Amino acid sequence: EADIYQTPRYLVIGTGKKITLECSQTMGHDKMYWYQQDPGMELHLIHYSYGVNSTEKGDLSSESTVSRIRTEHFPLTLESARPSHTSQYLCASSDSKKDISGNTIYFGEGSWLTVV
Amino acid sequence: QKEVEQDPGPLSVPEGAIVSLNCTYSNSAFQYFMWYRQYSRKGPELLMYTYSSGNKEDGRFTAQVDKSSKYISLFIRDSQPSDSATYLCAMRKDSNYQLIWGAGTKLIIKP
């Protein structure tokens, strides 16, 4: 079972608020990811990191920002939330050294964000 | 047009049936093919992955890749109600590229 944790699981906030979605993994994985998933839709990569102090934007444009100051921690921040940000956000990690093909991505349980 | 197409379902079958789930893709450069299972309000979990063409079996699950047709399948034998979930296919060119995901097929196994 994957040891990757996301908080909060569910959040309802007002427009214009700043929020941070927390993600931590205890597996020592070097790669971490944030995906956005709307119901019945594909997962879209919004941010990824290959290690400490490394962050890149994914395929889907996002107004969120991320940081990777510690290997195990990869928080996602929205400075000013809007209703269009309502979605499920999934954090994930993988170990490029252990799995040379990089195929085994472990996901957290997700954070459901509703902006009203 | 999406790079990976997957019928959203829902696909409803009786317990014990053989289930066939499929994805088609357009990019012939894809080499790694994965199937993830996602229960409601949970994150996806990896079920199986295959490299290039061929079959791979793991218990009641068999993954099949036909690169000539750009078509992949996941078969579930002796389906159980606990198999009810959304099944996502994903693929990539190689380990340096990000995964491209299907939208998922919702599977319902009726007791």
Side-chain angles (χ1 to χ4, degrees), chain A residues 41-69:
Chain A
M41 302 296 288
E42 305 90 338
L43 276 74
H44 289 287
L45 183 67
I46 51 175
H47 297 283
Y48 61 98
S49 167
Y50 285 161
V52 172
N53 295 325
S54 152
T55 61
E56 300 287 344
K57 288 188 179 294
D59 301 326
L60 184 67
S61 175
S62 174
E63 293 163 346
S64 57
T65 59
V66 292
S67 62
R68 189 91 182 274
I69 298 172

Side-chain angles (χ1 to χ4, degrees), chain B residues 10-81:
Chain B
L11 175 63
S12 183
V13 300
E15 182 177 356
I18 296 174
V19 175
S20 172
L21 303 165
N22 311 294
C23 286
T24 59
Y25 61 94
S26 57
N27 192 337
S28 58
F30 288 139
Q31 296 191 83
Y32 295 93
F33 304 91
M34 282 130 277
W35 286 97
Y36 279 78
R37 177 176 61 197
Q38 185 175 23
Y39 291 114
S40 180
R41 300 275 168 165
K42 301 287 187 181
E45 57 178 333
L46 180 67
L47 272 179
M48 300 183 71
Y49 81 86
T50 53
Y51 172 71
S52 194
S53 286
N55 292 1
K56 187 173 184 179
E57 189 173 319
D58 184 2
R60 296 184 296 111
F61 299 90
T62 299
Q64 197 171 76
V65 174
D66 182 349
K67 291 190 75 178
S68 61
S69 301
K70 298 190 184 71
Y71 188 89
I72 67 171
S73 301
L74 177 71
F75 298 96
I76 307 174
R77 292 183 299 280
D78 187 24
S79 56
Q80 306 293 312

Side-chain angles (χ1 to χ4, degrees), chain A residues 9-10 31 33 35 37 40-43 45 48 50 88 90 99-105 107-109 112, chain B residues 2 4 8 32 34 36 38 41-46 49 88 92 94-96 98-104:
Chain A
R9 290 290 322 279
Y10 302 93
K31 292 183 179 180
Y33 315 83
Y35 284 89
Q37 184 185 31
M41 302 296 288
E42 305 90 338
L43 276 74
L45 183 67
Y48 61 98
Y50 285 161
Q88 181 187 25
L90 287 160
D99 185 332
I100 195 168
S101 67
N103 288 322
T104 308
I105 295 178
F107 285 86
E109 294 198 320
W112 288 85
Chain B
K2 296 178 182 178
V4 179
Y32 295 93
M34 282 130 277
Y36 279 78
Q38 185 175 23
R41 300 275 168 165
K42 301 287 187 181
E45 57 178 333
L46 180 67
Y49 81 86
L88 305 162
R92 70 188 342 154
D94 64 36
S95 61
N96 293 321
Q98 301 301 336
L99 284 172
I100 306 299
W101 295 82

